[in-house]
Amino acid sequence: MIAKKNLFSSEIKEKVQSLISEMTLEEKVGQMSQFDWGFHAINPDAGGEINLIMKELLDKGMLGSLFNLSGVEQANTLQQQAIERSRLGIPMIVGRDVIHGYRSVFPIPLAQSASWNPDLIRRTASAASKEAASDGISWVFAPMIDITRDPRWGRIAETMGEDPHLGEIMAEAWVDGAEVLDSANESLSVASCPKHFAGYGFAESGRDYNTVDVSDRVLREVILPPFRKAVDAGALSIMASFNEVNGVPACANHYLLTTILREEWGFEGVLVSDYNALGELITHGVAKDAEEACEIAIKAGTDMDMHSGIYYKYLPKLVQEGRVDESLIDAAVGRILALKIKLKLFDNAQVNPDLNQSVILSEEHVSLAREAARESIVLLKNDNDTLPLTKQLKSLAVIGPLATNINDPLGCWAADGNPDDVVSLLDGIKAKISPDTELLYAEGCDIESEDENGFEQALAVVAQADVTIIAVGESKIMSGEGNSRSELDLPGKQRELVEAAIKLGKPVVVVLFNGRPLTTVWLDEKATSIVEAWHLGIQSGNAIADVLFGDYNPSGKLTATFPRSVGQIPLYYYRKNTGRPPGGVYSSRYVDAPVQPLYPFGYGLSYTKFEYNNLVISSTSISSSDSVSVSVDITNTGSYNGDEVVQLYIRDLAASVTQPLKKLKGFSKISLLAGETKTVTFTVTPSDLAIIGVNNSLTVEPGSFQVMVGSNSEDGLIGEFVVR
Ligand code: BGC
């Protein structure tokens, strides 16, 4: 358990109180305002109201926060101005979306989560924060810990998948890594900002920003656990989401922001709105105008207003009219000031401008990017052991629109990434293979167009080569914010290209670059080898080549179910049995498609084979306050050394409330030499067995529990025990 980072030590409390006692109401609401400098930079003379408010606050030295600055010099200059102009010398806090790396871009979070390696996530988050801090940033708007069950939703790329337990572990690790509080003197400390609180991943139809309608049960069992863990891990801030929860948009939702977050969980940090989410309270239809939006948001528990200007404009009036109690403002501004003190911004908000040269793209970060990318890769299919390939091939063809592409592997939300830092797949392969191998390349087609003119040339090189690697998938802007899809197959003519290449009858390896699960059933049926390579960041090509040529044995496992068709969505492993599980007529099925996924949660192959034996449960009957240990022997029966993610699932067979068929409750990533056996032991604690029962309290209900330990959510050894 990571020690909670106390925001309000007595020293900080004292300093906050003394500042507040000297601040005017206008100064307070200025501190509660944050603006996007990038918006201003695009059109500085637009003179729109937001720009005007931002400029006014900057001039008066009252601005709480800016984000999207461009580089350390600008951050230093604006920060210096802020402090000099502020009557009480209050610094700004500079934010940025540092989602999966800064300039050293790591794999998209969905890919990183496939590593099932929280230590890796901790290290990439920490490296990203250090790079950002060297550029004057002390607040990263990450991690995104939304759970989602909908791959149509473009922001699934930014999530760590569908499972609350995995989400908890990853959230904890990410917050711990991203919050760099004791950084070197010359740099800044950094706060994390887990987001989006809450339910944003449950947008109806997978359409970004759409209505969310979830029960309190789903909210508490599935959506909130990662946030709770993030809070317990000491997250210093949280971002409220755009969406509504039970009819009330998050920034206006007292139940979410105050009852749950503050009162139940004891969160002490800053709650910032999402971008113009206060303004959107009007569009949502819960506020008749900006003044009402302002009143609702402050009363619900929103501390900082991101880029609407509404707090600055209306809060003073609302206080003067007695509609908002100033104590609410003091509490909110108190948290913002405490954050700034905690980050030592009052002591030093300037960054040595030369620091970034040694931090950004450091050798350590680039090598971490390669490590993270390799661990994110998931081997989806490998018939006839086509992979790994020998480096001594006589000839090798590489085709497809993602083969030389250095832009799309950066993935969505990589604003500070630079395509020139990216190793393309073709370059990764070139660096790997023997100089004697004849390497042939042709693009074939591009990602989205309907143009087949390049097919002939591409198929000619396929025909000429011993083996072909085809790089296909999505561009980076097909996932991420605002980029939902209604079809989840390969776009454009890529399917046709792959099918034509396979038809030539030579060995073909398909490498997928995508920001979400795809529904490529046809590919699974036709290709012998499929490598899921997501959008892997700057070391994409090297990492994929490491896997293709056997320098790294893939170990990634999917954290989001791959459906067979869009019609199956939402499809997730954590499903319930229903009264009529899939079977014959009048069962929960489709007449025109199977109910099974293309690839289940937790799935991923290796170049070696792992065998599971001897499931032993320490006791067949325990009391509700006891733990039970579950062990299993795993043997590497193949001829390669390899890593395996051993997964433990629990099912409560009969409870006062219907339970999922399986819930992930433990996992362990182990390394096994060829031929080696290891015993993995999990401890299943009462909190793993507890459910929110029919009377809404968390309890371990007596009865039988099933345990499954295996290599994915569908295969494993099963045992049972009873809770008395
Ligand atoms: C996104 C957030 C992001 C914010 C600031 C919003 O549109 O939903 O995830 O942190 O913009 O860029």
Side-chain angles (χ1 to χ4, degrees):
M1 182 64 203
I2 294 154
K4 199 168 165 179
K5 298 165 193 138
N6 188 2
L7 182 53
F8 282 98
S9 64
S10 50
E11 201 186 319
I12 293 185
K13 220 185 233 165
E14 231 172 79
K15 178 145 191 193
V16 165
Q17 270 159 9
S18 116
L19 281 165
I20 290 182
S21 67
E22 291 185 53
M23 286 167 83
T24 64
L25 187 54
E26 191 189 15
E27 282 169 336
K28 292 178 192 171
V29 300
Q31 284 300 315
M32 293 162 69
S33 306
Q34 179 188 53
F35 293 94
D36 174 0
W37 183 261
F39 173 83
H40 158 86
I42 291 169
N43 203 349
D45 302 319
E49 197 179 17
I50 299 224
N51 263 347
L52 292 179
I53 295 178
M54 180 176 68
K55 280 187 206 152
E56 181 181 327
L57 279 167
L58 267 173
D59 289 345
K60 290 181 170 172
M62 292 182 184
L63 185 56
S65 174
L66 276 182
F67 65 108
N68 290 341
L69 304 188
S70 55
V72 63
E73 277 86 11
Q74 187 170 65
N76 278 345
T77 309
L78 289 168
Q79 185 65 274
Q80 179 84 12
Q81 275 175 22
I83 295 170
E84 279 168 12
R85 291 176 189 171
S86 160
R87 205 174 50 88
L88 299 166
I90 302 176
M92 294 189 303
I93 175 166
V94 176
R96 182 81 168 159
D97 287 286
V98 181
I99 307 299
H100 49 108
Y102 187 66
R103 176 77 183 263
S104 296
V105 178
F106 301 117
I108 53 169
L110 183 63
Q112 286 194 54
S113 68
S115 72
W116 295 60
N117 183 347
D119 180 57
L120 179 76
I121 301 268
R122 181 178 290 111
R123 286 184 289 132
T124 57
S126 166
S129 283
K130 285 178 187 153
E131 289 197 5
S134 77
D135 251 355
I137 292 155
S138 48
W139 195 8
V140 294
F141 302 144
M144 167 140 155
I145 54 175
D146 294 309
I147 298 295
T148 188
R149 296 168 166 175
D150 200 326
R152 291 170 297 185
W153 188 50
R155 298 196 84 172
I156 192 171
E158 291 175 66
T159 74
M160 287 180 279
E162 69 186 42
D163 183 60
H165 178 69
L166 187 68
E168 284 180 325
I169 307 281
M170 295 311 197
E172 182 178 53
W174 198 310
V175 166
D176 189 45
E179 300 214 326
V180 180
L181 296 182
D182 306 303
S183 62
N185 292 340
E186 287 183 315
S187 191
L188 297 174
S189 293
V190 179
S192 73
C193 187
K195 63 189 188 184
H196 306 81
F197 192 69
Y200 185 41
F202 278 67
E204 283 180 356
S205 328
R207 197 150 48 77
D208 206 4
Y209 318 121
N210 202 6
T211 305
V212 168
D213 190 3
V214 290
S215 64
D216 202 52
R217 180 165 297 283
V218 168
L219 185 69
R220 288 179 178 273
E221 289 178 358
V222 180
I223 295 169
L224 294 183
F227 285 96
R228 177 67 205 256
K229 262 286 180 327
V231 167
D232 289 345
L236 292 167
S237 75
I238 285 193
M239 187 185 294
S241 54
F242 287 126
N243 58 279
E244 66 176 70
V245 173
N246 198 18
V248 183
C251 285
N253 198 313
H254 187 271
Y255 174 65
L256 263 188
L257 305 192
T258 299
T259 309
I260 295 180
L261 190 60
R262 303 273 180 215
E263 294 168 8
E264 288 183 25
W265 299 357
F267 175 63
E268 293 186 337
V270 172
L271 191 292
V272 61
S273 80
D274 204 340
Y275 203 108
N276 186 37
L278 264 54
E280 290 176 16
L281 295 179
I282 307 164
T283 338
H284 270 291
V286 292
K288 65 176 184 297
D289 53 25
E291 189 173 309
E292 194 177 21
C294 181
E295 180 175 351
I296 299 174
I298 186 72
K299 287 184 172 166
T302 303
D303 296 330
M304 187 178 268
D305 163 14
M306 184 192 283
H307 204 75
S308 85
I310 285 177
Y311 269 1
Y312 182 67
K313 206 166 161 202
Y314 297 101
L315 269 180
K317 175 168 178 268
L318 290 171
V319 171
Q320 275 138 23
E321 287 173 3
R323 285 161 64 188
V324 166
D325 197 308
E326 196 165 348
S327 65
L328 278 183
I329 310 238
D330 288 351
V333 77
R335 289 188 277 263
I336 293 162
L337 294 170
L339 176 64
K340 293 181 177 183
I341 299 167
K342 178 90 182 170
L343 297 176
K344 304 193 188 84
L345 288 169
F346 280 85
D347 308 329
N348 179 28
Q350 292 291 306
V351 182
N352 173 351
D354 300 329
L355 182 68
N356 56 16
Q357 285 159 28
S358 58
V359 178
I360 285 179
L361 291 174
S362 68
E363 215 174 292
E364 186 195 335
H365 292 177
V366 173
S367 115
L368 178 60
R370 184 163 182 167
E371 181 189 344
R374 304 201 299 198
E375 271 200 66
S376 300
I377 292 171
V378 183
L379 181 64
L380 295 175
K381 195 173 175 198
N382 193 25
D383 282 1
N384 316 324
D385 293 332
T386 311
L387 291 173
L389 300 172
T390 160
K391 294 173 192 166
Q392 314 298 333
L393 288 166
K394 239 175 84 223
S395 57
L396 172 67
V398 180
I399 66 166
L402 274 306
T404 56
N405 189 313
I406 49 171
N407 189 32
D408 294 309
L410 287 171
C412 62
W413 273 123
D416 298 286
N418 183 339
D420 293 338
D421 303 331
V422 175
V423 179
S424 73
L425 176 58
L426 190 66
D427 283 343
I429 291 171
K430 268 187 203 155
K432 184 71 69 181
I433 54 173
S434 152
D436 300 331
T437 302
E438 186 191 4
L439 183 61
L440 306 158
Y441 164 73
E443 187 181 29
C445 63
D446 68 21
I447 296 175
E448 282 190 83
S449 88
E450 296 297 311
D451 186 358
E452 291 187 8
N453 283 331
F455 274 33
E456 200 181 322
Q457 195 197 352
L459 295 174
V461 301
V462 174
Q464 224 181 307
D466 293 341
V467 176
T468 297
I469 295 167
I470 311 188
V472 286
E474 298 183 308
S475 66
K476 66 177 188 179
I477 53 160
M478 299 187 85
S479 57
E481 187 171 354
N483 298 324
S484 297
R485 292 184 67 195
S486 68
E487 300 285 346
L488 299 180
D489 210 327
L490 293 180
K493 287 288 172 190
Q494 297 182 89
R495 173 176 176 168
E496 286 78 358
L497 179 69
V498 174
E499 284 178 333
I502 291 175
K503 228 177 178 171
L504 296 179
K506 299 231 176 139
V508 163
V509 173
V510 179
V511 181
L512 293 173
F513 292 70
N514 42 299
R516 57 157 64 76
L518 298 174
T519 55
T520 41
V521 175
W522 62 271
L523 183 64
D524 189 68
E525 284 164 2
K526 292 182 179 166
T528 47
S529 293
I530 310 172
V531 174
E532 176 52 78
W534 314 106
H535 292 146
L536 290 177
I538 54 170
Q539 283 291 303
S540 174
N542 283 336
I544 301 168
D546 286 340
V547 165
L548 294 176
F549 294 91
D551 286 340
Y552 182 82
N553 185 354
S555 59
K557 304 264 191 176
L558 301 177
T559 60
T561 302
F562 276 44
R564 301 179 68 87
S565 67
V566 171
Q568 290 181 315
I569 298 170
L571 185 68
Y572 49 95
Y573 91 90
Y574 192 103
R575 64 186 179 276
K576 296 187 173 180
N577 207 28
T578 79
R580 294 191 178 189
V585 189
Y586 301 114
S587 76
S588 178
R589 61 162 193 153
Y590 298 107
V591 293
D592 58 353
V595 292
Q596 286 77 21
L598 174 57
Y599 307 114
F601 175 85
Y603 172 82
L605 303 173
S606 162
Y607 293 152
T608 192
K609 295 260 171 309
F610 299 104
E611 212 180 273
Y612 285 63
N613 288 302
N614 300 331
L615 179 82
V616 178
I617 302 177
S618 61
S619 178
T620 50
S621 170
I622 58 169
S623 81
S624 59
S625 54
D626 286 345
S627 293
V628 66
S629 44
V630 178
S631 66
V632 77
D633 296 338
I634 296 114
T635 305
N636 179 348
T637 57
S639 47
Y640 294 89
N641 302 336
D643 294 346
E644 168 71 334
V645 179
V646 184
Q647 302 160 40
L648 173 132
Y649 297 86
I650 298 277
R651 178 179 178 193
D652 188 339
L653 286 163
S656 61
V657 170
T658 59
Q659 290 298 304
L661 287 165
K662 275 160 206 157
K663 288 186 192 174
L664 180 78
K665 284 295 170 187
F667 61 90
S668 173
K669 189 166 186 175
I670 56 166
S671 297
L672 287 174
L673 301 173
E676 194 185 7
T677 299
K678 274 186 185 163
T679 304
V680 170
T681 304
F682 297 98
T683 304
V684 179
T685 64
S687 75
D688 294 325
L689 301 176
I691 61 161
I692 302 175
V694 74
N695 46 19
N696 284 331
S697 62
L698 199 63
T699 12
V700 179
E701 295 186 359
S704 296
F705 286 79
Q706 208 172 61
V707 183
M708 185 186 91
V709 181
S711 71
N712 65 62
S713 62
E714 285 188 355
D715 293 318
L717 302 176
I718 294 178
E720 228 176 277
F721 65 90
V722 171
V723 172
R724 297 186 296 274

